[in-house]
Amino acid sequence: RFEIIKDKLILIYIPSMGIDNIKRCDYVSFCDADDMVTPYYVDTLYTLTKSAGADIGISPIFVEKKAGMPRIIELEDCTTWLHGKCYKVDYLRKNNIRFYDDIRCNEDGAFNLLAVNMTQKRQKLSTPVYLWRDYKGSITRGDVLKFSQEGNQ
């Protein structure tokens, strides 16, 4: 847990606690535990979003696949991806955009579809600053498998 006040970075690790628990931040960005970001990720997306007065700052993302070269998911194709984005917290609260407890599989896609489509105030960054890793052992993949097995019984 890191907290640096006065227009500085506040990085708080709160597993699965959601938007309602963000108390002292004006902007928020999410990162999966097995992904990577560039050293300028937070500063670039935060500055882009805030200076434009946008509700969301969006960048393309790198996608790492185990069998092959990484590829880039361009802005037009990453609407459901939570990754590589910076959100204005007031915008999320005013529109009741949050992670829903009853959605476990692809919960980030549900969150982001609402967030992206409820505003025209989006600012786009042309450079990817986030690396999404295709990790077969991720918690979500385990939940997908469990969900599939339960659904087929």
Side-chain angles (χ1 to χ4, degrees):
R1 177 180 178 121
F2 299 93
E3 291 191 37
I4 305 169
I5 310 303
K6 294 190 178 181
D7 291 330
K8 301 294 179 188
L9 168 68
I10 298 175
L11 173 62
I12 303 171
Y13 173 73
I14 305 175
S16 303
M17 298 278 296
I19 298 299
D20 297 334
N21 294 296
I22 298 171
K23 306 289 185 211
R24 299 174 9 188
C25 301
D26 294 329
Y27 295 86
V28 64
S29 186
F30 302 97
C31 182
D32 288 347
D34 54 350
D35 293 347
M36 298 172 65
V37 297
T38 63
Y40 48 88
Y41 171 75
V42 172
D43 185 51
T44 302
L45 274 176
Y46 167 76
T47 301
L48 172 86
T49 308
K50 185 175 181 177
S51 64
D55 293 323
I56 302 173
I58 303 172
S59 81
I61 61 171
F62 289 110
V63 174
E64 175 190 72
K65 294 286 187 179
K66 296 295 178 198
M69 294 293 295
R71 64 184 177 100
I72 296 175
I73 296 185
E74 297 295 342
L75 295 168
E76 305 78 37
D77 299 323
C78 66
T79 305
T80 60
W81 292 72
L82 183 70
H83 315 88
K85 295 179 179 61
C86 180
Y87 304 87
K88 190 173 188 177
V89 173
D90 282 346
Y91 162 70
L92 298 175
R93 283 194 180 120
K94 286 177 187 172
N95 291 285
N96 195 30
I97 299 169
R98 58 188 175 84
F99 295 97
Y100 295 92
D101 294 335
D102 55 342
I103 299 176
R104 180 65 183 124
C105 182
N106 293 323
E107 76 288 354
D108 53 346
F111 171 92
N112 207 53
L113 278 171
L114 289 172
V116 170
N117 288 301
M118 291 182 72
T119 185
Q120 293 299 312
K121 295 168 67 177
R122 298 182 288 260
Q123 187 64 33
K124 297 177 180 180
L125 178 68
S126 59
T127 306
V129 291
Y130 190 101
L131 172 67
W132 181 85
R133 299 178 68 213
D134 187 11
Y135 178 58
K136 300 297 182 203
S138 75
I139 293 170
T140 304
R141 290 203 194 284
D143 284 353
V144 169
L145 179 60
K146 181 180 175 185
F147 176 78
S148 296
Q149 290 170 343
E150 288 174 359
N152 290 321
Q153 291 181 359

